[in-house]
Amino acid sequence: MRVIVPIKQVPETNAVKMDEETGTMIREGIEAIINPLDLYAIEIAIRLRELRSAGAETAGTVAVSMGPPKAITALREALAMGIDSAVLISDKAFAGSDTWATSYVLAAAIRRIGEYDLVICGERATDGDTGQVGPGIASWLNLPVVTYVGKIDQITEKTCRVHRLGEEGYEVLEVQLPAVLTVVKEIADPRLPTLRGKQKAKRAAIPTWTPGDLEVETGKLGLDGSPTRVVKIFRPKVARECRKVAALDEEAVHSAVDQLVAFLQEKELI
Ligand SMILES: Cc1cc2nc3c(=O)[nH]c(=O)nc-3n(C[C@H](O)[C@H](O)[C@H](O)COP(=O)(O)OP(=O)(O)OC[C@H]3O[C@@H](n4cnc5c(N)ncnc54)[C@H](O)[C@@H]3O)c2cc1C
């Protein structure tokens, strides 16, 4: 069982600040961490390897991240948790990629990593928050994808049976391998890195791949290669209109009800 886990480094805070002029994220001065939702992907990848791979030659888990050089710390954290190896994809040419270009590059990296049974992504990144990259990777690799996976209840060499969480319950789906899954919190509780894991991660050699290491067209990379652009970004202003109606006796209550009904009708709510 060989599992590839794309992980993203994100700002530590939930209160992501945006530059309203340029429409990009202000990353300066903010601590960066592994996207918290990717920890679940890492955990299930490690469990699958432990469960299915004893002695297998191609066994292993690989974490891959596209980002600035400092994203290497997220990869070391994944190694400390128990991921076997890691690759950083980093170059100025990748900067400003939208989800289309990001998934294009990650798919090229996955092709280069080679043989694999599963690609497991987090449900979404807590900064960009689109949830598009996992399905995007599947599309570039022409693989089946299941999103919102909360449980893997059976896995063989050729198929995997999963529970996909929906708003009103879950669907049980069987998917051919290799496949891409995006997973939700219910999948497994992430373990804490051990001291031994941290020491191993500190020493691990992590290669950095640039466009020259991947089969990619340069016109499809970075801000210039991205078909989508943030044209405007702003915090919506929430304004509430309040109207008080005093109703201290029965007659006033009747009048208040009439006023309420008229108001709702005027707003076309009833
Ligand atoms: C319309 C649009 C325009 C954008 N324009 C810009 C822009 O102009 N400049 C800019 O800087 N950014 C821009 N972004 C943000 C940028 O595209 C995203 O940060 C990036 O593509 C990842 O998308 P996401 O954060 O929504 O990840 P999601 O799709 O929410 O992430 C899902 C999962 O995919 C994996 N994943 C996501 N990103 C990575 C990664 N980099 N490496 C490894 N795994 C990953 C992880 O497993 C993650 O849990 C734009 C986004 C959109 C939607």
Side-chain angles (χ1 to χ4, degrees):
M1 172 68 39
R2 200 161 146 89
V3 186
I4 300 178
V5 190
I7 60 170
K8 185 179 182 189
Q9 196 178 48
V10 297
E12 188 172 18
T13 170
N14 277 335
V16 169
K17 292 196 183 106
M18 301 298 295
D19 184 330
E20 295 195 5
E21 291 278 302
T22 59
T24 54
M25 221 171 274
I26 301 168
R27 294 175 194 270
E28 290 77 33
I30 298 177
E31 276 293 304
I33 52 166
I34 293 187
N35 172 32
L37 298 173
D38 292 351
L39 297 176
Y40 302 94
I42 293 170
E43 178 62 35
I44 192 65
I46 297 169
R47 287 193 196 184
L48 286 171
R49 187 216 40 216
E50 288 169 347
L51 191 75
R52 298 265 320 155
S53 298
E57 263 179 33
T58 56
T61 46
V62 187
V64 51
S65 188
M66 178 175 121
K70 71 172 183 179
I72 204 157
T73 55
L75 291 169
R76 289 204 193 279
E77 218 179 299
L79 292 172
M81 283 175 73
I83 290 284
D84 298 307
S85 62
V87 182
L88 175 67
I89 303 161
S90 189
D91 192 89
K92 282 200 174 116
F94 301 130
S97 295
D98 66 2
T99 55
W100 187 87
T102 301
S103 50
Y104 172 66
V105 173
L106 288 170
I110 290 165
R111 259 189 225 107
R112 166 142 191 210
I113 292 167
E115 210 179 311
Y116 56 90
D117 303 284
L118 280 170
V119 176
I120 305 184
C121 291
E123 174 197 345
R124 60 189 164 80
T126 53
D127 56 353
D129 217 0
T130 65
Q132 292 173 356
V133 170
I137 292 172
S139 169
W140 286 112
L141 296 173
N142 206 16
L143 293 179
V145 57
V146 185
T147 51
Y148 304 112
V149 172
K151 187 176 171 189
I152 298 178
D153 71 358
Q154 201 183 71
I155 187 152
T156 69
E157 276 175 20
K158 292 194 175 140
T159 61
C160 165
R161 197 167 68 200
V162 300
H163 289 203
R164 177 178 191 271
L165 290 194
E167 278 183 15
E168 289 174 5
Y170 59 84
E171 298 166 352
V172 180
L173 301 168
E174 192 166 89
V175 61
Q176 296 283 326
L177 301 182
V180 178
L181 307 180
T182 78
V183 296
V184 293
K185 288 180 184 176
E186 287 73 5
I187 195 95
D189 281 337
R191 68 192 68 192
L192 289 173
T194 59
L195 183 61
R196 205 162 145 237
K198 283 185 186 172
Q199 284 168 338
K200 199 178 130 212
K202 214 170 156 188
R203 289 192 304 268
I206 299 179
T208 299
W209 290 348
T210 62
D213 299 301
L214 302 170
E215 281 190 25
V216 287
E217 292 171 37
T218 47
K220 289 182 175 168
L221 309 178
L223 198 58
D224 290 343
S226 294
T228 45
R229 285 279 187 289
V230 176
V231 287
K232 184 172 164 61
I233 193 149
F234 62 96
R235 273 187 199 284
K237 290 196 174 61
V238 183
R240 289 208 174 104
E241 205 185 309
C242 177
R243 196 189 299 173
K244 278 190 185 165
V245 180
L248 300 173
D249 55 40
E250 204 176 324
E251 200 180 326
V253 169
H254 286 299
S255 159
V257 169
D258 290 343
Q259 286 180 55
L260 179 63
V261 170
F263 174 77
L264 294 175
Q265 280 169 341
E266 185 192 311
K267 298 279 176 197
E268 294 181 356
L269 292 170
I270 54 171

